[in-house]
Amino acid sequence: MTRAASGDCSPTAILPGMTNLLMVGVLTLVTVVAYGSSIRNGFVWDDFDIIVKNTVNRDLSNIPVLFHSADSTLSGNQTAYYRPLARLTYLIDYQLFGLDAAGYHVENMLIHLAAVLLLFLLIRLLFGDNLLAFAAALIFAVHPVNAEAVNFLSTRNTLLAAVFVLLSFIIYLRAKTAGKKPYLYLAALLFFLGLLCKETALMLVIVLLFFDMTSYSKPIEWVKEKTFSLLPFLGAIAVYLLMRAYAVSNLIVRNLDWSDLPRRLIQNIYIVPMYLKVILLPVHLNAYYSVPANYLSRRVPLLLAWAAILGIVVVLLKTKRPVTRFGLFWFAVNYVPISNIVPIPSAPLAERYMYLPAIGLWLVAADLVSILYARTAFRRAKMIAGALIVVCLAALTFVRNVVWRDNVSFYSEMVRANPFSELAHYSLGLAYMEKGQIDKAQAEWKKTAETNPNYFKVLALLGQSYLMEHSWKDAEYYYTMAIKANPGDAEAIYNLAATKEKLGKPREALFYYEKFLAIAPSGYYSFIEKARERVVALKKE
């Protein structure tokens, strides 16, 4: 994995008629066109907890808080994540745009564009091949598997980490060629900023450690050079770990369950083929993937998939092409953090996780493109075919952006992709309720209740929706079911008591009011006062 010597690397020799500036222009234009439709999108999914309702994002005086505390969500509730630089961008955005989502989406698009252009520059520096760099950056720019990372504002940390990783790598290469120590410190600083965006940036050190290992004649030379060049990076890691330890020290974080590690790792038998499937055939993308409980029973499809994967990897490695080998190496190293060695709380797999690792696959694809282009036969036809593929990928991305328009469109797509998912129907119901479309919300929640009659949250919401419509009988039925599924639901008990009163059942209402008072948390002060009043009144009747 060394820098390739490619002979005449002038732009006109590699791609006639295209200068570096023109390539940058094309990459910029294509990226903006592919993601232009995202600017009209609103806040979706976790954006409401992490950005919209997060009070920490309101005031610039909270900047120190971001760096000495863990990430926070709605009303300042803290998580085990520490990504202060990404959080800082939301605080700045609020000063610039308020809660106008368009500004946030423009920023995400520009960060993605920066990553695209930096990838173009990095590959040119690594391999001295303009066509290769252009092709890889072009795929990276428009492939719809990246649409989730760009459209989901709450995962801006992924975009920012990629930008700082690529920029740090570029400066590191500059340090090596120029032999100037200050560049190493600058590269380490950029790496540190990447860590402050997302911990997955850590894998850059592994890449820098091994990417040019074969260029050293003796192992001792490699050890000496890497020890010197990576010391600033190790210092950056030490500072980051100290800052993170301090920030999360006041949280009660569950210890890593090592006994569950084998199960999590074995899941990759299913997860890796799924990732490659959505990359190779990005037509049925989905924001919510799950690992089926019986995935190991699908022996034949999994065996065939892995036989194909291993066969392709062996063939690619046998070509001994530095570009392809580096691409596979990049993918493997950056896949480690998303392989669930450390469990990922949100989901075991998601398209946004592929943003940084898949750069290696784009590089492999670009290497194949450069091989095909080097053969003079049918060159014009191959260029047209390549352009059509890029247009199709950009079109799929453009359409994919629309899914993130608002919660209704987002969860509707989730239901389409996961028609039997209780969570998908439950969430779509909430989205409809927020828009005041109660009948549609009820339809979704009933589907969830049919699948899982003990889903007490849905049952309580159905009760609440019918209470709002003064449909007392329906409200009584669903509140009764909700309490049966969750006897400790104080709010459902209170509402059932009120419903019983509306139905002219004072004795039953009294029973549930008293039951509510027996278990009501102190935070239900107003409900407690009303319940006491009703108990007194009902006992007088």
Side-chain angles (χ1 to χ4, degrees):
M1 289 171 282
T2 61
R3 178 171 176 146
S6 53
D8 182 4
C9 295
S10 66
T12 53
I14 299 297
L15 196 60
M18 289 195 75
T19 64
N20 289 334
L21 185 60
L22 181 56
M23 289 180 180
V24 168
V26 171
L27 290 172
T28 301
L29 177 62
V30 169
T31 303
V32 171
V33 169
Y35 284 99
S37 58
S38 70
I39 297 173
R40 295 176 56 199
N41 292 350
F43 296 104
V44 173
W45 201 5
D46 288 344
D47 291 343
F48 289 93
D49 279 352
I50 293 173
I51 301 173
V52 178
K53 300 177 182 178
N54 190 342
T55 56
V56 178
N57 296 338
R58 299 290 185 266
D59 198 316
L60 290 174
S61 64
N62 288 328
I63 291 177
V65 176
L66 302 180
F67 288 88
H68 64 67
S69 64
D71 283 14
S72 61
T73 55
L74 174 62
S75 301
N77 294 326
Q78 291 189 320
T79 70
Y81 292 122
Y82 180 65
R83 298 159 181 176
L85 198 56
R87 294 161 63 201
L88 177 61
T89 65
Y90 299 137
L91 195 153
I92 295 172
D93 285 354
Y94 185 79
Q95 312 308 312
L96 296 173
F97 316 119
L99 291 177
D100 182 358
Y104 294 74
H105 283 289
V106 168
E107 186 173 339
N108 265 31
M109 180 178 68
L110 293 177
I111 297 170
H112 176 57
L113 173 60
V116 169
L117 299 180
L118 288 170
L119 179 61
F120 172 70
L121 178 57
L122 174 62
I123 297 173
R124 286 183 64 246
L125 290 173
L126 278 172
F127 302 105
D129 189 325
N130 295 296
L131 172 59
L132 176 75
F134 180 72
L138 193 58
I139 300 170
F140 180 49
V142 302
H143 199 288
V145 79
N146 289 331
E148 179 171 299
V150 180
N151 283 279
F152 191 13
L153 297 173
S154 296
T155 61
R156 181 181 290 171
N157 48 53
T158 298
L159 305 180
L160 288 169
V163 165
F164 283 116
V165 163
L166 294 170
L167 190 53
S168 177
F169 200 164
I170 289 168
I171 301 301
Y172 176 84
L173 292 175
R174 176 62 176 164
K176 291 193 66 178
T177 56
K180 295 181 178 180
K181 189 180 294 185
Y183 284 120
L184 282 178
Y185 292 117
L186 177 58
L189 174 62
L190 293 166
F191 167 68
F192 175 68
L193 296 178
L195 289 174
L196 293 181
C197 294
K198 194 171 184 178
E199 56 281 352
T200 51
L202 182 65
M203 304 315 292
L204 175 62
V205 172
I206 307 300
V207 174
L208 297 182
L209 181 62
F210 292 106
F211 86 98
D212 58 351
M213 186 176 178
T214 57
S215 63
Y216 297 90
S217 58
K218 296 179 181 179
I220 190 66
E221 293 179 0
W222 171 70
V223 172
K224 287 181 178 179
E225 198 280 332
K226 290 300 180 181
T227 300
F228 167 76
S229 64
L230 294 182
L231 268 179
F233 289 82
L234 297 179
I237 293 172
V239 173
Y240 164 76
L241 291 177
L242 287 172
M243 291 175 64
R244 188 185 190 284
Y246 176 79
V248 303
S249 61
N250 63 332
L251 294 180
I252 300 175
V253 182
R254 291 192 310 173
N255 292 328
L256 179 60
D257 185 2
W258 291 108
S259 64
D260 192 48
L261 180 60
R263 181 193 65 82
R264 297 198 302 270
L265 292 181
I266 291 171
Q267 282 184 337
N268 287 285
I269 293 174
Y270 174 83
I271 292 173
V272 171
M274 277 297 299
Y275 277 135
L276 296 178
K277 177 184 175 182
V278 298
I279 285 173
L280 292 173
L281 195 65
V283 291
H284 293 296
L285 301 182
N286 180 14
Y288 177 69
Y289 295 95
S290 59
V291 178
N294 64 339
Y295 71 93
L296 287 176
S297 65
R298 307 177 183 182
R299 294 183 182 87
V300 174
L302 287 175
L303 285 173
L304 290 174
W306 275 100
I309 292 169
L310 295 175
I312 292 171
V313 169
V314 169
V315 170
L316 290 174
L317 290 176
K318 281 187 174 181
T319 63
K320 297 183 178 181
R321 291 183 62 83
V323 176
T324 291
R325 288 191 168 191
F326 178 78
L328 294 174
F329 170 67
W330 178 282
F331 176 80
V333 170
N334 285 283
Y335 182 80
V336 172
I338 65 168
S339 65
N340 286 279
I341 291 178
V342 176
I344 304 174
S346 51
L349 70 156
E351 291 163 20
R352 59 187 180 274
Y353 301 163
M354 276 284 104
Y355 190 79
L356 192 57
I359 285 175
L361 301 182
W362 312 144
L363 194 52
V364 172
D367 199 22
L368 295 175
V369 168
S370 65
I371 293 172
L372 288 173
Y373 186 79
R375 298 171 182 173
T376 57
F378 306 107
R379 178 169 287 184
R380 184 183 297 274
K382 286 184 287 189
M383 290 183 65
I384 294 172
L388 288 175
I389 291 173
V390 170
V391 169
C392 288
L393 291 175
L396 288 171
T397 296
F398 190 92
V399 173
R400 184 71 183 153
N401 298 336
V402 179
V403 171
W404 296 80
R405 182 75 72 224
D406 55 29
N407 270 343
V408 169
S409 60
F410 176 76
Y411 288 118
S412 294
E413 176 66 12
M414 187 181 288
V415 165
R416 182 204 61 75
N418 305 275
F420 301 106
S421 169
E422 299 167 8
L423 177 63
H425 287 290
Y426 167 73
S427 301
L428 179 55
L430 287 177
Y432 279 131
M433 180 61 82
E434 289 172 358
K435 287 185 172 291
Q437 299 174 320
I438 298 179
D439 55 336
K440 291 184 178 180
Q442 290 169 341
E444 294 303 322
W445 290 334
K446 285 179 180 178
K447 292 175 184 176
T448 304
E450 290 169 4
T451 306
N452 183 0
N454 294 317
Y455 203 141
F456 62 88
K457 288 185 178 180
V458 162
L459 297 170
L461 284 169
L462 280 166
Q464 179 185 353
S465 66
Y466 283 112
L467 195 64
M468 292 168 61
E469 294 181 324
H470 297 173
S471 299
W472 312 123
K473 279 286 185 182
D474 289 322
E476 178 189 35
Y477 172 77
Y478 283 109
Y479 276 130
T480 301
M481 295 295 292
I483 294 167
K484 183 178 179 181
N486 181 24
D489 190 339
E491 188 171 337
I493 293 170
Y494 176 88
N495 286 330
L496 179 57
T499 303
K500 293 286 187 181
E501 273 204 273
K502 294 292 184 181
L503 288 169
K505 300 177 181 181
R507 289 186 179 180
E508 293 180 34
L510 177 61
F511 170 79
Y512 283 106
Y513 278 129
E514 290 180 333
K515 187 174 181 179
F516 165 77
L517 290 172
I519 67 168
S522 58
Y524 282 65
Y525 178 76
S526 61
F527 288 95
I528 291 172
E529 289 300 310
K530 290 179 182 178
R532 285 173 178 167
E533 292 175 4
R534 295 313 305 153
V535 167
V536 172
L538 289 170
K539 284 184 176 180
K540 288 181 180 179
E541 293 181 4

